[in-house]
Amino acid sequence: MAFGHQKVESRRRVLREIAQHGPLPRIDLAERTGISRATVTSVTAELLRGGLIAEVPRDARTDEAARGRPRVDLRIAGEAHLIAGLKVSDVSISLVLIDFDGQRVADHEHPLQERSLAPEALAQEIATGLDRLAAKVGRKRADISGLGVGLAGIVDATHGLVYWSPSLDQRNVPFGEVLTRHLGLPAYLDNDANLVAKAEMIFGEGKHHSDFIVVTIESGVGMGMVLGGQVYRGTRGCGAEFGHTKVHLDGALCRCGQRGCLEAYVADYALVREATSVGGVSLTMPTAQAVNTILQAAKTGDPTARTVIERAGKMFAIGLANLVNIFDPELVILAGEQMQFDHLYADAVIEEMGKSIVQIDKPAPAVVVHKWDNLMWASGAAAHALDFVQDSAVEAVQDT
């Protein structure tokens, strides 16, 4: 039993190394993983036979050509599996389909008529979106090996439990089980901001950093953390709820039901709620249009709009400073749809943040803005599911 576990673990390490740094020759795999050359030879033979990796010709160097023996590298066999990822937002579900090598092969945007749905109703919307996504490449839902799902709210990723999400009309929902049963394929949930951190770690600004924080600003405020090269989730799945840290005692009402949360001052719904007295702004107006109207009113001197925007910037600066003081990250990334507006990352906001962080003889962490759409969120969800699909595929490989 112990030997079998060790063999599976060796396969997993080799596959992950090829996925992250391949194509690679066998000798490099042995050096990178610390696994003996004999074991690497055996493991790669099993992965080749299982269809998870493939050999590709390597450009021969002069010394290799002189020996007359062509060298080959090993790469991930992209065709081995299809993996889907999605993000549920207020108005739509954004979906991507990737292959086993992490390459995007299709994407789809599925509209939602309601912002908050019953679990089974949201599962059905996701099923419809998946069917249309798969059809774009001539495949079916049954051809998908796993699904990653990003939801706003408080999510226990380990158990697939959603404690609370604005996308669901119930609390404490075992939504992972609901989806797996409804879709007929494994579903892996996480807080959407955690999946942003995953996406930034693999595809984006955090690729070359072991410790960084991603703050997302959309209809709500989220945060994902990478510490020591790993996404940090906390013991209850709510270890990075930046939007629900308190910045004002008995302050504005947050949609989570509590008062004084940072989100209640800086999220788009909060800006619209606080500025409904501004001419041209109404609660029925599309959110982006409403926020833009508020910002324009602030720039032209409307006192109510200016108060709302200035307070949002001040609260956000305090929140960012608290993050830096607590975690001292290498990098802070601001991401999301609201990055199309500059009121939360204006120079004045960053300067205000700098005044409230611990001062030492080293520069403060860099703050960068990464503007991208929901497909990047969905790609992070797909990358999350890919980890599980890789593990399952490795365990399914037959021993020699």
Side-chain angles (χ1 to χ4, degrees):
M1 181 67 71
F3 176 75
H5 175 76
Q6 183 178 7
K7 201 167 189 180
V8 169
E9 182 58 30
S10 294
R11 291 175 191 155
R12 181 180 291 111
R13 289 172 61 189
V14 167
L15 187 71
R16 290 276 167 84
E17 194 67 31
I18 296 172
Q20 293 175 14
H21 303 290
L24 290 170
R26 289 173 175 82
I27 189 171
D28 283 7
L29 283 169
E31 293 173 356
R32 285 175 171 273
T33 61
I35 300 173
S36 70
R37 293 187 184 183
T39 300
V40 166
T41 299
S42 172
V43 165
T44 54
E46 293 165 353
L47 294 175
L48 281 164
R49 190 177 63 252
L52 303 185
I53 61 175
E55 292 183 333
V56 291
R58 189 183 191 195
D59 292 336
R61 298 192 299 267
T62 303
D63 58 340
E64 294 170 344
R67 297 190 191 102
R69 184 176 181 180
R71 295 284 296 275
V72 296
D73 285 344
L74 297 171
R75 66 167 177 83
I76 297 295
E79 66 278 8
H81 291 276
L82 287 174
I83 301 95
L86 64 86
K87 170 188 164 56
V88 180
S89 66
D90 287 348
V91 297
S92 66
I93 301 172
S94 302
L95 305 100
V96 298
L97 193 65
I98 65 173
D99 66 15
F100 198 51
D101 195 27
Q103 301 302 308
R104 187 186 299 179
V105 297
D107 59 73
H108 179 66
E109 195 77 14
H110 178 73
L112 290 175
Q113 301 304 314
E114 298 181 50
R115 291 189 172 191
S116 183
L117 295 166
E120 291 290 345
L122 182 55
Q124 182 55 49
E125 294 286 355
I126 289 172
T128 301
L130 279 178
D131 289 340
R132 293 173 180 171
L133 175 71
K136 288 189 173 184
V137 290
R139 306 295 288 270
K140 297 180 179 180
R141 191 199 317 167
D143 297 323
I144 299 173
S145 298
L147 169 67
V149 178
L151 287 168
I154 302 174
V155 181
D156 182 341
T158 302
H159 301 99
L161 178 66
V162 180
Y163 291 110
W164 169 80
S165 171
S167 297
L168 293 171
D169 66 359
Q170 301 172 27
R171 288 177 175 261
N172 302 315
V173 178
F175 198 51
E177 293 180 10
V178 172
L179 282 177
T180 296
R181 180 179 67 251
H182 195 97
L183 302 175
L185 58 91
Y188 308 102
L189 273 59
D190 205 344
N191 172 272
D192 56 359
N194 287 340
L195 298 179
V196 172
K198 180 83 172 181
E200 291 286 4
M201 182 170 62
I202 296 174
F203 311 114
E205 298 288 342
K207 194 169 185 179
H208 303 295
H209 297 271
S210 62
D211 297 89
F212 64 88
I213 290 173
V214 183
V215 176
T216 61
I217 307 135
E218 290 192 305
S219 58
V221 178
M223 184 177 78
M225 290 192 297
V226 171
L227 303 177
Q230 299 292 325
V231 175
Y232 176 76
R233 294 182 174 88
T235 58
R236 297 182 299 147
C238 52
E241 285 298 324
F242 178 50
H244 300 289
T245 56
K246 303 302 180 281
V247 294
H248 195 292
L249 182 64
D250 297 326
L253 181 65
C254 179
R255 64 179 178 176
C256 75
Q258 297 189 354
R259 290 188 175 275
C261 296
L262 175 65
E263 182 177 296
Y265 294 94
V266 305
D268 57 5
Y269 73 85
L271 297 181
V272 175
R273 179 186 62 195
E274 295 298 314
T276 50
S277 60
V278 176
V281 176
S282 75
L283 292 174
T284 59
M285 183 183 293
T287 301
Q289 181 182 344
V291 172
N292 187 60
T293 299
I294 296 166
L295 290 172
Q296 292 303 317
K299 289 178 180 178
T300 57
D302 182 276
T304 301
R306 286 188 63 178
T307 298
V308 171
I309 296 302
E310 288 174 0
R311 183 170 62 173
K314 184 175 182 178
M315 293 295 191
F316 193 59
I318 292 172
L320 289 180
N322 287 337
L323 290 183
V324 173
N325 287 337
I326 294 170
F327 297 105
D328 192 24
E330 298 173 348
L331 179 69
V332 177
I333 303 169
L334 306 182
E337 289 181 351
Q338 289 286 15
M339 292 302 98
Q340 63 185 301
F341 307 119
D342 64 0
H343 64 291
L344 292 181
Y345 62 90
D347 290 343
V349 175
I350 303 305
E351 288 173 7
E352 188 72 22
M353 178 202 80
K355 294 176 184 177
S356 300
I357 65 174
V358 175
Q359 301 297 316
I360 61 172
D361 293 331
K362 285 187 177 181
V367 179
V368 300
V369 175
H370 191 179
K371 302 177 184 180
W372 38 260
D373 59 21
N374 282 341
L375 290 181
M376 186 71 170
W377 298 67
S379 294
H384 177 57
L386 178 58
D387 287 343
F388 292 96
V389 173
Q390 286 175 340
D391 288 345
S392 298
V394 162
E395 291 170 2
V397 169
Q398 298 297 313
D399 292 334
T400 302

